[in-house]
Amino acid sequence: MYVGRDLTELSMIKKEEWKDSELEYFHHSLMQIMPYLNVEGHTIQREIIEEIERRGGLTRYEADWTHGTRISYD
């Protein structure tokens, strides 16, 4: 569950000042409703993607079948 600033508050500050968790949450949320977004929504989503790319991409915080939660050295 996301606990943080809402999109109304975040829209008043630059994307560079958003936390990684905020970028990740709203990227995921907007991707799920992408077909229903208007031009302004698409612009916000594009800006979020550009900021994520500028920061070097998303990081993985959970494990799955091919990735663990800790780096292991052989």
Side-chain angles (χ1 to χ4, degrees):
M1 180 177 180
Y2 172 75
V3 178
R5 301 180 284 187
D6 66 1
L7 195 54
T8 305
E9 182 179 351
L10 290 170
S11 67
M12 296 181 207
I13 62 174
K14 295 184 281 186
K15 302 289 183 290
E16 294 86 20
E17 297 175 16
W18 288 27
K19 298 175 187 171
D20 289 344
S21 61
E22 294 165 339
L23 287 168
E24 291 175 18
Y25 175 78
F26 287 107
H27 170 63
H28 178 73
S29 297
L30 292 173
M31 286 300 294
Q32 293 193 345
I33 60 168
M34 184 64 82
Y36 309 104
L37 294 176
N38 61 12
V39 174
E40 184 178 1
H42 281 275
T43 301
I44 293 168
Q45 175 65 4
R46 184 178 39 80
E47 291 171 353
I48 289 172
I49 291 170
E50 289 172 357
E51 180 60 23
I52 289 170
E53 289 174 348
R54 190 186 70 73
R55 293 185 188 190
L58 299 175
T59 56
R60 175 179 293 275
Y61 292 113
E62 73 264 349
D64 61 19
W65 288 102
T66 59
H67 299 89
T69 56
R70 287 181 254 156
I71 299 172
S72 60
Y73 298 100
D74 291 338

